[in-house]
């Protein structure tokens, strides 16, 4: 059994002040869980932590202060705890924090290279807070910095920590410690939530690793999994989504092959899934901030160390090309019905990157839209879940809350929102011309309904 004073130079696990930097799909649920003041799973001790939610987006902060969460990640019960979080955009409010947890986005640029500016900016904010804290000698406890944002192996120690050291002149182990605990949030998933997913933890030394592991153990019901190094934790996260991306790419290729052979892909997958070790996935668009992005972080680092990851790169190319392939299949089906493609009315159902989620980051539907624009089609997009204002600001595209009262030559069900299923195929067909094509990418309906599938 460990001695009680093992963490004497660390913040008090039960009464520390925690700042979450970035209040999106990852940061907000994390802040809420820390704010609940629940019982510590491992020790049974009461927890009375102070939680600060820091974000540079003033609109987001104001929305949360009014208990409005546009990400739809919180249920009614969770929203009650937002009021326990000190929501702020002011760096002065985080100066006396003991723990800093970074949950900012890590996107890619047009060349598929990592964009690390949000990560560096958050790190600089922490460095300035630490500098102020030590200048005022607010306390003598070591500060703890934890990164959750998805990065390539080595990013925390090679990019982030040097920023802290350069700005503050503070020393690792003497003045602060750090760790990496990758986020595993699945946007829109109401079953596999933060507390029900095992948490990977790591630290820059053994004691820090144990401290961080115990911190997360106090809120994660599924438990934690401590690994030996920060790079291991970073690598574990990056391969989770890379593996899934590659598996989906394989299914997408199957679909394109079977369509040319006149075989129903869904029926093939359902049949193959009767074997216990077959991974059941369906074809479609791959987007979002994880699966469509994370593999590029790994390929970037892989090339840097002298290895060309051909299989990963190929899988990414397959999935990135699906928008174009889907449009080709839609056009082929329309041509077979002697439908004039140019300037025809096309309805796209769904703009989010996945079902039942308002997240539009890196949505694959955008590629479909752009491909159809090349045919000079008149395109309407119907998605009652996404933020219309956000879509227009980001992409200049108008989104409809209701299907426009028109007749369409082509209808593409691109996202599997439950509300689309509930609307029913009979109601959807009311918007289709007599000799139209309805391509159901998500298999929401049955082939007997006269639909087209990949």
């Amino acid at each position: 059994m460990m001695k009680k004073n093992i963490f004497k130079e660390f913040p008090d696990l039960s009464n520390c002040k925690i700042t979450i930097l970035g209040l999106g799909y990852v940061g907000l649920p994390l802040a809420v869980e820390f704010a609940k003041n629940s019982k510590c799973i491992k020790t049974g001790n009461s927890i009375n932590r102070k939680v600060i939610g820091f974000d540079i987006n003033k609109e987001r902060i104001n929305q949360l202060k009014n208990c409005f969460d546009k990400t739809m990640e919180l249920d009614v019960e969770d929203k009650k705890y937002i009021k326990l979080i000190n929501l702020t955009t002011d760096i002065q409010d985080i100066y006396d924090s003991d723990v800093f947890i970074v949950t900012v986005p890590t996107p890619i640029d047009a060349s598929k290279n990592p964009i690390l500016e949000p990560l560096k900016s958050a790190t600089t904010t922490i460095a300035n807070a630490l500098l102020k804290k030590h200048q005022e000698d607010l306390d003598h406890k070591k500060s703890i910095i934890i990164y959750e944002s998805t990065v390539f192996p080595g990013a925390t120690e090679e990019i982030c920590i040097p920023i802290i050291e350069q700005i503050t002149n503070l020393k690792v182990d003497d003045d602060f410690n750090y760790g990496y605990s990758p986020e595993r949030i699945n946007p829109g998933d109401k079953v596999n939530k933060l507390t029900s997913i095992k948490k990977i933890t790591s630290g820059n030394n053994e004691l820090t690793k144990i401290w961080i592991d115990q911190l997360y153990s106090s809120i994660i019901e599924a438990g934690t999994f401590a690994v030996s190094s920060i790079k291991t934790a970073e690598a574990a996260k990056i391969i989770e989504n890379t593996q899934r991306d590659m598996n989906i790419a394989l299914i997408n290729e199957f679909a394109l092959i079977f369509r040319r052979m006149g075989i129903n892909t869904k029926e093939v997958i359902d049949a193959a899934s009767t074997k216990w070790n077959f991974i059941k996935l369906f074809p479609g668009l791959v987007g979002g901030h994880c699966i469509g992005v994370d593999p590029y972080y790994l390929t970037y680092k892989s090339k840097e160390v002298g290895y060309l990851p051909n299989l990963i790169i190929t899988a990414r190319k397959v999935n990135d090309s699906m928008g174009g392939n889907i449009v080709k299949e839609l056009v082929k089906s329309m041509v077979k019905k002697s439908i004039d493609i140019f300037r025809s009315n096309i309805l796209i159902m769904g703009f989010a990157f996945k079902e039942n989620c308002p997240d539009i980051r890196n949505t694959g539907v955008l590629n479909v839209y752009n491909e159809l624009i090349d045919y000079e089609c008149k395109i309407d997009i119907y998605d009652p879940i996404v933020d219309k204002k956000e879509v227009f600001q980001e992409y200049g595209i108008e989104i409809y809350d209701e299907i426009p009262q028109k007749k369409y030559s082509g209808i593409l069900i691109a996202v599997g929102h439950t509300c689309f299923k509930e609307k029913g195929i009979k109601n959807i067909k009311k918007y289709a011309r007599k000799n139209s094509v309805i391509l159901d990418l998500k298999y929401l309906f049955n082939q007997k309904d006269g639909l087209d599938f990949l």
Side-chain angles (χ1 to χ4, degrees):
M1 183 177 291
M2 296 180 185
K3 297 180 181 179
K4 289 185 178 181
N5 66 349
I6 187 174
F7 295 133
K8 64 181 179 180
E9 294 181 351
F10 286 72
D12 188 330
L13 274 165
S14 297
N15 296 288
C16 54
K17 189 171 185 177
I18 302 172
T19 288
I20 313 292
L21 292 94
L23 296 175
Y25 287 86
V26 176
L28 180 61
L30 187 65
V32 165
E33 289 303 322
F34 277 123
K36 284 184 177 180
N37 293 328
S38 59
K39 295 289 184 180
C40 182
I41 293 172
K42 287 194 173 182
T43 66
N45 296 329
S46 294
I47 295 176
N48 185 27
R49 303 185 181 113
K50 295 180 180 179
V51 182
I52 301 174
F54 179 87
D55 201 293
I56 61 174
N57 187 332
K58 291 183 179 181
E59 183 180 2
R60 173 67 167 162
I61 291 296
N62 290 333
Q63 288 175 348
L64 292 176
K65 284 181 177 180
N66 290 315
C67 291
F68 172 69
D69 171 31
K70 70 175 185 179
T71 67
M72 299 169 57
E73 285 300 297
L74 302 182
D75 56 30
V76 175
E77 185 65 26
D78 285 340
K79 285 183 179 180
K80 296 178 183 178
Y81 295 98
I82 292 179
K83 295 181 179 180
L84 298 178
I85 304 168
N86 180 9
L87 299 163
T88 184
T89 59
D90 190 347
I91 188 175
Q92 294 186 41
D93 292 333
I94 73 173
Y95 284 157
D96 60 343
S97 299
D98 303 300
V99 184
F100 300 89
I101 303 179
V102 179
T103 61
V104 298
T106 45
I108 55 174
D109 62 21
S111 299
K112 313 298 185 183
N113 292 318
I115 297 177
L116 298 175
E117 277 63 35
L119 191 67
K120 292 177 181 178
S121 178
T123 302
T124 299
T125 298
I126 294 171
N128 289 326
L130 291 180
L131 184 61
K132 184 71 173 180
K133 180 178 181 179
H134 280 262
Q135 285 174 344
E136 296 183 359
D137 196 29
L138 296 178
D139 64 41
H140 298 286
K141 297 289 186 181
K142 294 179 179 179
S143 298
I144 306 295
I145 306 167
I146 306 170
Y147 290 90
E148 289 207 6
S149 303
T150 304
V151 292
F152 51 76
T156 300
E157 293 161 301
E158 296 166 10
I159 294 173
C160 299
I161 301 309
I163 293 174
I164 301 287
E165 293 174 319
Q166 182 179 2
I167 292 175
T168 64
N169 286 321
L170 298 177
K171 302 296 182 184
V172 175
D173 290 329
D174 293 338
D175 303 305
F176 73 95
N177 283 301
Y178 60 92
Y180 182 81
S181 181
E183 61 87 3
R184 283 174 153 178
I185 294 290
N186 184 26
D189 192 334
K190 301 304 180 183
V191 177
N192 299 300
K193 303 180 72 174
L194 172 64
T195 58
S196 61
I197 305 171
K198 193 177 285 289
K199 199 85 165 72
I200 296 173
T201 60
S202 65
N204 68 292
N205 57 41
E206 188 65 20
L207 201 56
T208 303
K209 179 179 73 174
I210 296 171
W211 191 94
I212 291 174
D213 192 76
Q214 290 195 12
L215 176 71
Y216 281 112
S217 290
S218 67
I219 64 167
I220 305 297
E221 296 174 4
T224 58
F225 189 89
V227 296
S228 63
S229 70
I230 287 172
K231 285 185 178 180
T232 299
E234 291 168 329
K237 168 59 182 178
I238 207 76
I239 71 165
E240 289 174 12
N241 290 329
T242 301
Q243 181 189 64
R244 187 167 176 81
D245 186 49
M246 295 177 69
N247 285 337
I248 295 173
L250 182 61
I251 296 295
N252 276 335
E253 285 216 320
F254 287 159
L256 295 174
I257 293 169
F258 294 149
R259 185 172 172 86
R260 284 159 175 75
M261 298 172 68
I263 301 172
N264 185 308
T265 301
K266 183 179 184 299
E267 189 176 1
V268 172
I269 293 172
D270 287 341
S273 297
T274 59
K275 188 179 181 186
W276 78 92
N277 61 351
F278 181 83
I279 301 173
K280 189 173 185 178
L281 296 170
F282 290 104
L285 299 166
V286 180
H289 189 62
C290 295
I291 298 177
V293 172
D294 294 353
Y296 288 118
Y297 273 71
L298 184 57
T299 58
Y300 171 85
K301 190 63 178 181
S302 178
K303 292 174 185 177
E304 192 176 80
V305 297
Y307 179 78
L308 186 63
N310 291 306
L311 193 58
I312 299 173
I313 292 171
T314 300
R316 273 282 75 230
K317 287 180 178 179
V318 169
N319 286 336
D320 277 346
S321 68
M322 279 306 290
N325 283 320
I326 287 167
V327 170
K328 287 178 183 178
E329 297 305 323
L330 176 64
V331 169
K332 285 179 184 178
S333 295
M334 293 174 71
V335 168
K336 287 179 182 178
K337 291 191 173 185
S338 301
I339 298 173
D340 185 7
I341 307 300
F342 294 99
R343 298 182 179 84
S344 60
N345 288 334
I346 303 291
L347 174 67
I348 299 177
M349 297 181 64
F351 191 78
F353 91 87
K354 64 179 294 188
E355 67 277 1
N356 304 321
C357 174
D359 197 345
I360 62 170
R361 293 175 297 176
N362 195 34
T363 174
V365 182
L366 181 64
N367 294 333
V368 172
Y369 175 86
N370 289 333
E371 290 281 343
L372 285 171
I373 287 294
D374 289 341
Y375 286 94
E376 299 182 16
C377 297
K378 299 175 183 178
I379 307 162
D380 292 330
I381 302 180
Y382 161 59
D383 193 325
I385 293 179
V386 301
D387 186 326
K388 299 193 299 295
K389 180 181 175 182
E390 183 183 5
V391 174
F392 191 80
Q393 289 177 339
E394 187 73 21
Y395 303 111
I397 297 173
E398 184 178 3
I399 302 293
Y400 293 94
D401 281 334
E402 298 290 342
I403 300 177
Q405 296 298 315
K406 296 181 183 178
K407 291 291 186 178
Y408 295 94
S409 298
I411 297 177
L412 178 66
I413 304 174
V415 184
H417 290 327
T418 300
C419 61
F420 294 167
K421 179 78 171 178
E422 292 173 345
K423 185 175 285 290
I425 190 60
K426 287 184 179 180
N427 285 325
I428 293 173
K429 282 185 173 182
K430 291 178 181 178
Y431 300 93
R433 293 185 184 279
K434 186 175 182 180
N435 190 37
S436 63
V437 173
I438 302 177
L439 179 55
D440 183 1
L441 293 184
K442 307 306 294 184
Y443 303 107
L444 291 186
F445 304 104
N446 299 317
Q447 195 165 25
K448 65 181 181 180
D449 294 314
L451 308 184
D452 204 3
F453 302 93
L454 277 186

